[in-house]
């Protein structure tokens, strides 16, 4: 597993986006390059082989990359597979994340789960109200805030269990 590749996915897009922001914050001296949706594999490979003009390290962020959702042609598939299995450039970190539902049986999803630091963010189920309440309390405690039990229940009810609304 490579510590240079990070992969976030799951149904809870708020937590996924929050993890992405934390990763960016944890790489303050990196030049950040964004790739989203469809892009040329050659462009990605070129970015992994060089560093930026203004920084000696790069963070390449891929949001909802096409290879997580559809089949690639054989040439691109082999190039991507090779990149993920052999990426060793300490100056280049890769962050791949999906804010859409992905099929975990797809080849590159499975490969990334093996090769990358992977974290899945699942939404709380409707019957897991206690977990939502605990999550809210943990967030407030981290900010050194308190909440009454009635206000906690009201916040959870008004937000409809949306973690993004609870966090606001």
């Amino acid at each position: 597993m490579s510590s240079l590749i990070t992969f976030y996915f799951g149904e809870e897009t708020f937590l996924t986006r929050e993890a992405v922001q934390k990763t960016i914050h944890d790489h303050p001296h990196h030049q950040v390059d964004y790739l989203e949706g469809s892009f040329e594999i050659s462009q990605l490979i070129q970015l992994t082989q060089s560093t930026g003009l203004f920084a000696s390290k790069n963070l390449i962020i891929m949001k909802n990359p096409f290879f997580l959702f559809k089949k690639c042609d054989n040439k691109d598939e082999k190039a991507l597979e090779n990149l993920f299995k052999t990426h060793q450039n300490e100056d280049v970190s890769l962050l791949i994340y999906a804010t859409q539902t992905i099929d975990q049986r797809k080849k590159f999803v499975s490969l990334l789960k093996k090769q990358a630091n992977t974290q899945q963010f699942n939404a709380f189920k409707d019957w897991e109200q206690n977990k939502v309440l605990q999550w809210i309390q943990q967030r407030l405690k981290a900010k050194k805030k308190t909440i009454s039990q009635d206000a906690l229940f009201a916040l959870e009810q008004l937000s409809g269990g949306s973690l993004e609304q609870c966090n606001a």
Side-chain angles (χ1 to χ4, degrees), residues 64-130:
N64 297 322
F66 67 95
F67 56 80
L68 294 180
F69 303 100
K70 61 183 182 181
K71 182 120 172 80
C72 301
D73 66 36
N74 286 341
K75 179 183 167 196
D76 286 346
E77 191 173 289
K78 288 189 186 332
L80 268 175
E81 190 173 347
N82 186 46
L83 174 66
F84 294 145
K85 286 184 176 179
T86 63
H87 180 61
Q88 298 291 325
N89 186 347
E90 296 284 330
D91 294 331
V92 179
S93 298
L94 301 174
L95 170 60
I96 303 159
Y97 74 101
T99 57
Q100 303 170 4
T101 303
I102 58 175
D103 182 351
Q104 294 187 43
R105 299 170 296 177
K106 290 223 176 269
K107 180 177 185 168
F108 285 112
V109 175
S110 298
L111 179 65
L112 285 169
K113 286 169 75 175
K114 290 177 191 167
Q115 298 295 325
N117 290 327
T118 302
Q119 190 164 3
Q120 182 175 2
F121 298 98
N122 289 323
F124 293 114
K125 308 294 183 236
D126 292 339
W127 63 86
E128 294 181 314
Q129 181 186 22
N130 286 343

Side-chain angles (χ1 to χ4, degrees), residues 134-152:
Q134 287 174 348
W135 183 85
I136 295 168
Q137 285 180 316
Q138 288 173 345
R139 288 292 172 116
L140 289 170
K141 188 175 184 179
K143 294 179 181 182
K144 298 183 179 13
K145 306 280 184 192
T146 59
I147 190 170
S148 72
Q149 200 68 6
D150 290 339
L152 180 64

Side-chain angles (χ1 to χ4, degrees), residues 28-63:
H29 302 294
H30 287 59
Q31 175 176 314
V32 179
D33 294 301
Y34 290 95
L35 299 171
E36 185 172 350
S38 293
F39 51 84
E40 295 294 322
I41 299 301
S42 59
Q43 179 185 10
L44 172 61
I45 292 171
Q46 183 179 357
L47 286 171
T48 63
Q49 294 173 345
S50 62
T51 55
L53 295 173
F54 304 108
S56 61
K57 296 184 179 222
N58 279 13
L59 174 62
I60 302 168
I61 299 175
M62 289 172 267
K63 177 181 179 182

